[in-house]
Amino acid sequence: AITSPYAYYIKSGNGYLYVIDSYSQFVVYHPQSNFITNLLTGKNLKGIAFDAKFIYVSEGYAGNAVYKIRKSDYSIETISGIGGGDCALY
């Protein structure tokens, strides 16, 4: 189970939990296998969205990037320069 008392934002889909922990770390958790993948540590994160192939995690609090994460291998593409201010996905 996710034991962090700092889970700020949680979404679920297709048997996975997607968690922003303390605004600064993104975690993918698979409850069936207890497998946890930590990604994007040290970022100012605020929002999560996903589709069949990708997870999108956005910065908030004057951030200007969205991180596009491929579900198959957790490779990360940064989409930056989308403007200042709170660009979080909801």
Side-chain angles (χ1 to χ4, degrees):
I2 295 176
T3 59
S4 171
Y6 304 109
Y8 165 72
Y9 192 74
I10 300 172
K11 281 196 169 184
S12 64
N14 296 327
Y16 290 86
L17 293 177
Y18 305 107
V19 179
I20 292 175
D21 186 9
S22 301
Y23 302 103
S24 64
Q25 176 175 268
F26 176 64
V27 176
V28 177
Y29 176 68
H30 191 281
Q32 300 298 332
S33 65
N34 289 323
F35 180 74
I36 297 174
T37 301
N38 295 308
L39 302 165
L40 300 175
T41 300
K43 307 287 185 188
N44 238 348
L45 305 173
K46 191 168 182 186
I48 304 168
F50 55 89
D51 59 26
K53 293 184 180 182
F54 297 99
I55 308 161
Y56 305 90
V57 181
S58 63
E59 292 181 339
Y61 312 104
N64 67 354
V66 171
Y67 302 94
K68 183 178 173 183
I69 304 164
R70 185 177 304 279
K71 287 182 177 180
S72 61
D73 64 2
Y74 297 117
S75 60
I76 300 170
E77 175 187 347
T78 301
I79 304 167
S80 58
I82 58 175
D86 189 352
C87 66
L89 303 165
Y90 294 101

